[in-house]
């Protein structure tokens, strides 16, 4: 998961100067497995006959860009959207990222469908979800126990 | 290469599929059975003195740790001219090897417990341990063992023993948190009942991530790659080599490649001048096989890599097959000398890719 620059610098210092004992917090495996991945609503996707899925990601709205950015994008004719192709397994996981299933649930389904060892499936799926999350294609939600508070974005 | 391969050995207990509900772990001659979905998470490459760690599924708070050393070999000292040449002179003048003093099991165990106590001290917890009396066990009374248990920064139950057959000193323990006391006892009982430190049929079991592969025990692990979806193990015996690969998601791979096309990319040598044929394995799978003489370039490459002329490989045998039951592609390649014909068939028939339950 992408950290803010300030935090990254802070932990970078800790890595190079170990005597300061600055370490990033350890990620609890159990805490990750109960997260619910949900797709970015601005992304559209289309399934190909070959099994692959093509994601269409709209690039930042031109009205939000700065003057120089606007000028440069007009000058270089940058596209308004980006396309990303997911393979069959990626497409399967993408379809399951509807905010209802937990990471654990997705791992179990992928493991069953592609006859993978549980650990192999967990490593592959969590790495893939982490990559999607870094690119802001999905958000990871944690279901809060109290009904009144509803779901909370992590 | 023969079209139909030989029948599997009847002594192979893991081939009948009865162990499907257990995880069979095998590494460097050590083998044990653990509950389902336990996985190897740490290991060493060395056979003489090594380490294996197997974690429980889920949280992974309970782990099995196995350490072994070769008691027949004296402790490694600084290399000197004497240590380099003495074994050769002994051989030349037919002098007996110096007697290695018998391993002090209690001393070894105290060292293990001392290290564990240090961890407990770091965690600021009290450390307690209990050691049981020495006993002789094994089918042929080949083991002298001591059971032990400790509690400190967690809990552990273990056993240390020396095996007269393979001259290994093994420390095996099940470690967990305080709350795991019951499961530690149950797993320790299963582990100590099934843990073996040497093979009985001349083949070492390499078992991890649902793979069970028997390799002749004089082959040593040369390299490994344990990736998600790809498992690679390479073994060496003097200049002879066995290279094993397993890929996941076979159904997706087969949409783009045929088995020979896929195999060509991973083959250790060019397959152009080799004889292509088909073989039925003992697992029931049809394998595409290649065999023939190694090219001069391949031989030069082997010489460069192995730096040994003993058992110099002049022949190649390789094959690839798909296991639809587990959705995996397997490939096995052997570079062997003229005297070890049939090595590919032998190993391929001892590769257990799926259980009877998966077939059903």
């Amino acid at each position: 998961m992408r950290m803010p620059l300030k935090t990254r610098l802070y932990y970078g210092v800790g890595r190079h100067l170990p005597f300061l004992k600055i370490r990033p917090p350890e990620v609890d495996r159990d805490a990750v497995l109960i997260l619910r991945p949900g797709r970015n609503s601005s992304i559209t996707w289309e399934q190909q006959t070959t099994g692959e899925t093509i994601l269409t990601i709209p690039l930042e709205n031109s009205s939000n860009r700065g003057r120089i950015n606007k000028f440069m994008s007009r000058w270089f004719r940058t596209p308004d959207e980006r396309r990303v192709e997911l393979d069959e397994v990626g497409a399967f996981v993408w379809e399951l990222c509807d905010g209802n299933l937990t990471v654990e649930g997705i791992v179990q389904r992928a493991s069953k469908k592609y006859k993978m060892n549980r650990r192999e499936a967990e490593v592959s799926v969590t790495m893939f979800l982490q990559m999607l999350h870094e690119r802001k294609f999905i958000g990871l939600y944690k279901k809060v126990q109290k009904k009144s508070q509803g779901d909370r974005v992590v | 290469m023969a079209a139909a391969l030989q029948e599997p050995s009847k002594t192979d207990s893991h081939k009948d599929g009865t162990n499907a509900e257990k995880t069979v772990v095998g590494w460097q001659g050590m083998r044990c059975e653990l509950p389902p979905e336990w996985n190897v998470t740490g290991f060493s490459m060395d056979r003489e003195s090594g380490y294996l760690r197997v974690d429980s599924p889920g949280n992974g708070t309970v782990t099995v740790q196995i350490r072994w050393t070769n008691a027949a070999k004296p402790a490694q000292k600084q290399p000197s001219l004497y240590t380099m040449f003495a074994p050769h002179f002994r051989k030349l003048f037919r002098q007996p090897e110096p007697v290695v003093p018998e391993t002090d099991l209690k001393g070894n165990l105290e060292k293990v417990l001392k290290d564990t106590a240090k961890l407990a001290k770091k965690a600021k917890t009290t450390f307690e341990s209990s050691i049981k009396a020495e006993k002789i066990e094994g089918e042929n009374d080949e083991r002298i063992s001591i059971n032990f248990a400790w509690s400190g920064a967690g809990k552990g139950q273990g056993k240390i023993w020396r095996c007269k057959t393979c001259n290994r000193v093994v420390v095996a323990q099940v470690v967990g948190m305080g709350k795991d006391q019951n499961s530690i006892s149950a797993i320790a009982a299963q582990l100590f009942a099934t843990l073996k430190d040497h093979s009985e049929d001349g083949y070492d079991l390499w078992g991890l991530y649902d793979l069970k592969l028997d390799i002749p025990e004089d082959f040593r692990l040369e390299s490994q790659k344990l990736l998600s979806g790809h498992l690679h193990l390479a073994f060496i015996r003097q200049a002879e080599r066995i290279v094993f690969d397993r890929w996941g998601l076979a159904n997706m791979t087969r949409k783009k490649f045929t088995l020979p096309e896929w195999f060509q990319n991973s083959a250790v040598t060019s397959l152009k001048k080799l004889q292509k044929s088909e073989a039925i394995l003992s697992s029931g799978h049809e394998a595409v096989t290649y065999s023939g003489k190694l090219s001069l370039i391949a031989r030069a490459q082997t010489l460069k890599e192995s730096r040994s002329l003993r058992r110099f490989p002049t022949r190649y045998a390789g094959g690839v097959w798909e296991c639809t039951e587990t959705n995996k592609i397997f490939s096995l390649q052997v570079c062997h000398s003229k005297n070890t014909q049939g090595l590919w068939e032998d190993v391929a028939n001892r590769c257990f890719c799926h259980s009877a339950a998966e077939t059903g």
Side-chain angles (χ1 to χ4, degrees), chain A residues 28-35 102-105 107 118 122 126:
Chain A
D28 185 13
R29 182 177 161 276
D30 279 357
V32 172
L33 289 176
I34 57 163
L35 294 176
T102 57
V103 175
E104 169 76 31
V107 168
R118 173 69 175 70
E122 192 181 308
T126 49

Side-chain angles (χ1 to χ4, degrees), chain A residues 18-68:
Chain A
F19 58 87
L20 292 176
K21 293 184 179 175
I22 302 169
R23 288 192 193 99
E26 282 182 15
V27 180
D28 185 13
R29 182 177 161 276
D30 279 357
V32 172
L33 289 176
I34 57 163
L35 294 176
R36 289 161 199 272
R39 293 184 286 262
N40 185 333
S41 56
S42 64
I43 297 174
T44 53
W45 70 95
E46 192 185 340
Q47 196 163 17
Q48 307 288 300
T49 47
T50 50
E52 282 107 14
T53 290
I54 295 188
L55 308 183
T56 310
I57 303 112
L59 292 176
E60 213 175 323
N61 193 345
S62 57
S63 59
N64 293 339
R65 291 179 192 171
R67 272 186 194 174
I68 299 172

Side-chain angles (χ1 to χ4, degrees), chain B residues 104 226 228:
Chain B
D104 175 19
L226 304 179
S228 173

Side-chain angles (χ1 to χ4, degrees), chain A residues 28-30 50 52 87-89 113-121 123-124, chain B residues 37 39 41 58-59 209-210 227-229 246 249 252 255 324-328:
Chain A
D28 185 13
R29 182 177 161 276
D30 279 357
T50 50
E52 282 107 14
D87 68 358
E88 197 185 314
V89 187
K113 183 166 184 192
Y114 295 103
K115 294 177 183 173
M116 283 191 280
N117 177 290
R118 173 69 175 70
R119 195 175 178 87
E120 279 181 319
V123 172
S124 312
Chain B
E37 294 192 358
N39 279 304
T41 52
N59 249 344
Y209 300 115
D210 304 333
L227 306 170
S228 173
R246 189 190 75 180
L249 305 173
M252 286 179 60
K255 280 181 188 170
T324 46
E325 286 84 352
T326 54
N327 195 24
K328 287 180 174 71

Side-chain angles (χ1 to χ4, degrees), chain B residues 63-102:
Chain B
T63 60
V64 166
Q65 297 168 8
I66 305 167
R67 281 182 189 277
W68 64 90
T69 49
N70 191 341
K73 286 204 169 178
Q76 285 287 324
K77 291 174 187 169
Q78 286 288 337
S80 63
L81 279 176
Y82 175 79
T83 55
M84 277 169 71
F85 290 106
H88 298 287
F89 280 114
R90 266 187 228 117
K91 221 177 201 179
L92 192 69
F93 297 114
R94 293 178 185 172
Q95 291 293 312
E97 289 287 320
V99 180
V100 180
E102 206 160 90

Side-chain angles (χ1 to χ4, degrees), chain B residues 65 109-123 125-129 148-156 171 173 175:
Chain B
Q65 297 168 8
L109 177 56
E110 273 164 17
K111 203 179 160 192
V112 171
L113 292 174
K114 206 176 166 185
D115 290 343
T116 320
K118 270 185 196 170
L119 292 175
K121 200 178 171 185
K122 258 188 186 175
T125 52
T126 51
F127 181 78
E128 282 174 19
S129 64
F148 63 92
W150 56 265
S151 68
K155 284 195 179 225
V171 185
Q173 57 177 341
V175 181

